[in-house]
């Protein structure tokens, strides 16, 4: 069952939770001041406040979540998209932000999107990724994520990184951490 955007935003991505587990981690390593950021899989827009409205663009295939984000964060730009091509110009973004999205996407589609990230990033552009991840010595968390997460494609660290290295991105794992006791999270960046 799909949660309504309001319930999702309130219970899965409340502001305090997003601040602790996502925004604080990102702000430790990256400064988005005057940088153009594409939020790939923006959902209800919980991460838009990392940037100024003039430099942010959120994309998601779920029109209900995008409509909710537009109402909640009116100054920010959000758009629904479908298919493999992102509706943006070549070399137009400094960062692509991907938070808990890739584990919902089949492998063949990820490969298409990574080519698109390469196309839309400026030289020296970066992809920032935080995803649920299966860790070798974490059988209880792995079981919990597999049983409870709506994403059908939670992967191991090497699998996430290989998607990017195949397209000549250089990957750097910034942190491996647990979220809420049962979720293993991988935080990495991929650079052109």
């Amino acid at each position: 069952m799909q949660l309504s955007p309001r319930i999702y935003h309130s219970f899965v991505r409340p502001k305090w939770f997003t601040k602790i587990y996502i925004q604080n981690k990102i702000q430790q390593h990256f400064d988005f001041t005057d940088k153009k950021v594409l939020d790939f899989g923006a959902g209800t827009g919980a991460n838009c406040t990392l940037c100024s409205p003039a430099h942010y663009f959120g994309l998601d295939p779920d029109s209900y979540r995008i409509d909710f984000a537009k109402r909640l964060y009116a100054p920010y730009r959000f758009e629904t998209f479908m298919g493999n091509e992102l509706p943006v110009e070549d070399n137009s973004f400094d960062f692509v932000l991907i938070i808990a999205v890739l584990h919902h996407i089949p492998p063949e589609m990820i490969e298409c999107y990574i080519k698109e990230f390469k196309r839309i990033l400026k030289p020296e552009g970066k992809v920032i990724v935080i995803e649920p991840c299966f860790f070798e010595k974490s059988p209880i968390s792995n079981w919990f994520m597999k049983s409870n997460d709506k994403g059908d494609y939670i992967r191991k660290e090497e699998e996430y990184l290989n998607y990017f290295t195949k397209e000549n991105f250089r990957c750097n794992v910034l942190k491996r951490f647990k979220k809420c006791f049962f979720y293993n999270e991988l935080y990495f960046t991929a650079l052109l």
Side-chain angles (χ1 to χ4, degrees):
M1 179 180 90
Q2 177 94 357
L3 297 176
S4 76
R6 181 173 303 286
I7 291 172
Y8 178 85
H9 193 76
S10 298
F11 293 102
V12 178
R13 288 272 187 253
K15 287 182 183 181
W16 67 268
F17 185 85
T18 300
K19 180 84 174 128
I20 292 170
Y21 288 106
I22 298 169
Q23 294 180 352
N24 288 349
K25 288 181 179 6
I26 291 171
Q27 289 171 326
Q28 286 174 353
H29 294 98
F30 302 99
D31 180 8
F32 293 156
T33 305
D34 297 327
K35 301 293 184 187
K36 289 191 72 178
V37 177
L38 175 74
D39 189 356
F40 179 76
T44 58
N47 295 308
C48 69
T49 57
L50 284 165
C51 320
S52 71
H55 293 94
Y56 174 90
F57 183 35
L59 286 175
D60 199 282
D62 187 326
S63 61
Y64 295 110
R65 289 187 183 192
I66 288 296
D67 290 344
F68 181 82
K70 285 178 179 179
R71 287 190 307 273
L72 195 60
Y73 301 105
Y76 290 86
R77 181 176 168 215
F78 296 95
E79 195 172 298
T80 303
F81 83 103
M82 291 297 184
N84 296 335
E85 293 181 21
L86 303 178
V88 297
E89 299 292 321
D90 294 358
N91 305 314
S92 56
F93 285 88
D94 299 289
F95 293 97
V96 174
L97 188 60
I98 305 172
I99 308 299
V101 174
L102 298 178
H103 72 289
H104 293 284
I105 302 174
E108 62 279 0
M109 288 183 72
I110 287 181
E111 292 171 3
C112 293
Y113 289 133
I114 290 176
K115 288 178 182 170
E116 280 292 280
F117 302 152
K118 194 172 181 179
R119 177 185 69 80
I120 68 167
L121 281 170
K122 294 177 181 178
E124 305 301 318
K126 296 175 182 75
V127 180
I128 300 167
V129 182
I130 300 178
E131 283 289 328
C133 185
F134 292 134
F135 290 169
E136 232 176 85
K137 296 179 181 178
S138 193
I140 293 171
S141 293
N142 292 347
W143 168 83
F144 180 84
M145 292 186 303
K146 195 173 205 169
S147 302
N148 294 289
D149 196 281
K150 298 289 183 207
D152 292 330
Y153 305 99
I154 298 175
R155 297 163 172 93
K156 293 180 181 177
E157 179 177 318
E158 313 82 57
E159 294 174 88
Y160 285 118
L161 301 180
N162 284 341
Y163 286 118
F164 289 89
T165 56
K166 277 191 217 171
E167 286 300 321
N168 299 315
F169 281 88
R170 291 172 289 126
C171 294
N172 181 21
V173 173
L174 300 171
K175 191 166 185 143
R176 296 167 191 92
F177 63 97
K178 265 208 199 307
K179 179 175 77 178
C180 296
F181 305 110
F182 290 112
Y183 262 77
N184 300 322
E185 296 281 329
L186 178 66
Y187 173 28
F188 70 96
T189 185
L191 302 88
L192 285 173

